Amino acid sequence: MTTFDTAIHLVYLAAATCFVLGLHLMNSPGTALRGNRLSAAGMAAAVLATGAVLVRDHGITVWAVTALTAGAAAGAVAGLITARRVPMTAMPQLVSLFNAVGGGAAALIALGDAVQRSQEAGTPGLQTTITTVLDVLIGGVTLSGSLVASGKLAGLVPGRPVTVPGGRWATVLLALATAGLAGLYLTGRTGALGLSGIGVAALAAGILLTLPIGGADMPVVISLLNACTGTAVAMAGFVLDSSPLIIAGALVGAAGAILTKLMADAMNRSIGAIIAGGYGTGDSAGPAAAVGAGAPVRAITAEDAALQLAYAHKVVIVPGYGLAAAQAQHETVALARALTERGVQVSYGIHPVAGRMPGHMNVLLAEADAPYEQLKDLDEINPEFPGTDVALVVGANDVTNPAARRPGNPVSGMPILDVDRARTVIVIKRSLGHGYAGIDNELYTRPGTAMLFADAKKGLAQLLAGVREYAA
Amino acid sequence: MSPLLMADITVFLLSLLVGFEVISKVPATLHTPLMSGANAIHGVVIVGVMLLAATATTVTGYVLVLIGAAFAAMNVTGGYVVTERMLAMFRPRREEKP
């Protein structure tokens, strides 16, 4: 090993260290920003070191340099513009889009490597070919799957589970075709062409697998796809024998796997059942016909609700998907601030799956300047409900259903926010429509619960106006 | 199995374990920035595309490098910028503390 090689390897090692430490600093909101910058510095170092290798080796052709710089410039500009402009509510689809292109790039590396090898004499060893096939397969599924997920989150693709006629059979056929082509490729009977076939099959499979998954399952799906991209990048690292890719890929794979598990647990569903899809109506609100059905509920006017809030000692706000959909985070925080100014103790009880991606609700509330000390997760907030005067539920449904404590219904065993243990509960909701589990919420018919039938944004604005009146 | 592959597998497995260990402590508040930050880290795939470019000699190879570079660069720049934007909102606001 020459001095130059040693130096490059040390830079790569330092970059990998930066990635690990950067992730470690994400443990607390106070240090997270530093963590991201450290990780970015490691990335810059790795890119510069690789640039130095290319310059020193002289092997690269002028056309390759042109393709590399032109592509990188275009991609960097596109990434910068979208990242700066995106509103926080649209964050999940953007993260999903970045995930798609990452997976796509990983798959292209394996494909490009195979194209190049076919120009040279000698056959690559099994260790290269196996990882090449895995990279193209996982990267391809991630590329198209993340694009569909991104489309669903952005509303470009219907959020409800879309069943493709014969979709399951098509998936099986694709799997068989992939297995066949992989066999041919591994035994050296086909080259880059067969590999492209695997890529096409993987792209089709990604679409078929993601379309039937409902919009409400998206936090799990994007976590899973994130793990897939990490794995694909690690495979690309095996193909190129590049340790930064292997390390970073494995780190991301682990992160995605943990989040997938956390999200699936928080929804009380197995990962397998989510991938099988077809569950729930996803984004859409329940049918309007459900209003007034079943047991009687107590409606409340905005004035009365504001009075209760204004004279409470302790209020817990429980935001849910409806708040994110109505983009009412600013109204929520304005109300919380008005209450805090009156001396009311306010906190937010945030369920792990509130929003459209893991932790999305926290980002929305942070954007609206909610102090993060007030943001409490499930385990922190649940013991506080018995001492709470008013629990204000905004656009959350299944995650507050006390039926989850009993066995024998679709939400059984799901971790819920114990809002029913608060002295009174006020629910802001447009109608009595079902949540995505498709069952009645027993919370709404309890004697201590009052319903404020309104759109989240309008209802909160009315409450705020009401509270301000009492402040005068 | 070659010693090279053995070393690669070792690195992969240990990184996976380090990842589990480091990330399982991240609070739910930071899950979105964590995912977005992890997303930016897999933008390291740009290094892979650069290494691929070093060996490309055919038109197909150049086209693959072009698309791959665009994808990877979008991933890495967008990922870090968006994470930075998100985390900047998570600053503590002392004046609002009681």
Side-chain angles (χ1 to χ4, degrees):
Chain A
M1 208 183 250
T2 64
T3 321
F4 180 78
D5 287 343
T6 313
I8 294 297
H9 276 92
L10 286 176
V11 173
Y12 282 156
L13 185 61
T17 313
C18 287
F19 296 156
V20 173
L21 291 178
L23 284 174
H24 175 72
L25 289 175
M26 291 261 183
N27 278 338
S28 134
T31 56
L33 196 58
R34 227 182 324 140
N36 189 52
R37 287 181 183 158
L38 187 64
S39 159
M43 185 66 70
V47 170
L48 286 178
T50 314
V53 172
L54 297 193
V55 169
R56 190 187 148 98
D57 288 355
H58 298 299
I60 189 165
T61 66
V62 178
W63 279 108
V65 173
T66 316
L68 184 64
T69 45
V77 169
L80 264 179
I81 292 175
T82 45
R84 290 203 171 193
R85 292 212 180 139
V86 68
M88 287 300 146
T89 39
M91 191 57 64
Q93 49 264 46
L94 185 70
V95 169
S96 198
L97 179 66
F98 289 157
N99 202 33
V101 291
L108 287 172
I109 287 176
L111 204 56
D113 187 69
V115 167
Q116 213 40 52
R117 276 180 208 276
S118 63
Q119 306 292 311
E120 293 156 9
T123 46
L126 212 55
Q127 63 206 55
T128 307
T129 51
I130 288 178
T131 46
T132 299
V133 168
L134 285 175
D135 188 359
V136 171
L137 189 60
I138 304 170
V141 169
T142 315
L143 172 59
S144 60
S146 298
L147 284 178
V148 173
S150 181
K152 278 190 181 243
L153 289 161
L156 301 173
V157 179
R160 67 192 158 77
V162 180
T163 40
V164 185
R168 264 163 229 272
W169 287 110
T171 314
V172 172
L173 280 178
L174 283 173
L176 288 174
T178 306
L181 283 170
L184 289 178
Y185 182 75
L186 293 178
T187 49
R189 265 170 273 179
T190 176
L193 195 67
L195 202 59
S196 314
I198 296 178
V200 172
L203 288 175
I207 297 172
L208 285 175
L209 286 171
T210 332
L211 272 181
I213 302 177
D217 274 336
M218 281 304 143
V220 184
V221 175
I222 56 177
S223 307
L224 187 63
L225 288 167
N226 196 33
C228 287
T229 310
T231 316
V233 170
M235 290 305 137
F238 277 104
V239 172
L240 298 170
D241 186 39
S242 165
S243 59
L245 265 68
I246 297 177
I247 295 170
L251 286 175
V252 179
I258 287 177
L259 288 176
T260 309
K261 176 86 173 59
L262 282 176
M263 293 302 113
D265 286 352
M267 291 188 173
N268 192 32
R269 312 223 5 237
S270 75
I271 294 163
I274 288 165
I275 294 170
Y279 184 73
T281 50
D283 285 5
S284 58
V291 177
V297 298
R298 191 159 62 89
I300 191 173
T301 61
E303 290 75 29
D304 289 345
L307 183 71
Q308 284 193 18
L309 287 170
Y311 289 99
H313 289 291
K314 188 171 159 64
V315 171
V316 176
I317 300 174
V318 176
Y321 179 78
L323 186 148
Q327 309 211 5
Q329 67 269 33
H330 293 282
E331 284 77 6
T332 310
V333 175
L335 176 65
R337 195 170 295 140
L339 289 172
T340 312
E341 278 163 17
R342 282 184 56 85
V344 182
Q345 200 192 332
V346 181
S347 39
Y348 302 86
I350 300 173
H351 194 272
V353 292
R356 297 169 164 213
M357 71 184 282
H360 188 203
M361 193 58 67
N362 299 84
V363 172
L364 293 179
L365 292 174
E367 185 204 13
D369 268 351
Y372 69 70
E373 300 88 348
Q374 289 182 358
L375 310 181
K376 307 271 177 75
D377 65 23
L378 198 66
D379 298 331
E380 267 180 292
I381 200 74
N382 269 346
E384 292 189 23
F385 278 114
T388 300
D389 297 308
V390 183
L392 179 65
V393 180
V394 187
N397 191 348
D398 294 333
V399 297
T400 59
N401 194 343
R405 297 195 197 105
R406 283 187 282 106
N409 61 65
V411 293
S412 291
M414 176 164 151
I416 57 162
L417 289 154
D418 298 330
V419 288
D420 56 320
R421 297 198 170 138
R423 212 159 54 80
T424 53
V425 181
I426 298 171
V427 181
I428 303 182
K429 207 169 177 303
R430 274 181 304 183
S431 71
L432 281 177
H434 290 157
Y436 101 110
I439 60 166
D440 282 327
N441 191 338
E442 293 175 8
L443 179 72
Y444 303 161
T445 49
R446 283 171 51 91
T449 306
M451 307 288 295
L452 176 59
F453 290 109
D455 166 73
K457 206 166 183 143
K458 284 192 199 126
L460 287 163
Q462 288 170 352
L463 286 181
L464 179 60
V467 168
R468 287 221 170 109
E469 263 177 49
Y470 293 111
Chain B
M1 242 195 239
S2 69
L4 201 67
L5 179 66
M6 213 54 234
D8 282 351
I9 291 177
T10 310
V11 167
F12 178 71
L13 199 63
L14 290 180
S15 305
L16 214 54
L17 293 175
V18 168
F20 279 123
E21 195 55 35
V22 168
I23 291 146
S24 54
K25 292 182 201 129
V26 174
T29 317
L30 289 174
H31 276 166
T32 294
L34 168 71
M35 179 175 275
S36 166
N39 219 333
I41 289 178
H42 69 54
V44 75
V45 72
I46 187 87
V47 166
V49 176
M50 290 171 83
L51 294 174
L52 178 68
T55 60
T57 49
T58 59
V59 176
T60 324
Y62 298 146
V63 171
L64 291 175
V65 166
L66 180 77
I67 305 173
F71 277 5
M74 183 173 176
N75 182 180
V76 73
T77 51
Y80 279 113
V81 170
V82 93
T83 313
E84 171 91 13
R85 248 187 82 195
M86 249 188 282
L87 288 172
M89 303 182 314
F90 275 94
R91 293 223 172 104
R93 277 164 281 271
R94 284 189 186 82
E95 69 271 23
E96 284 186 16
K97 274 185 189 169

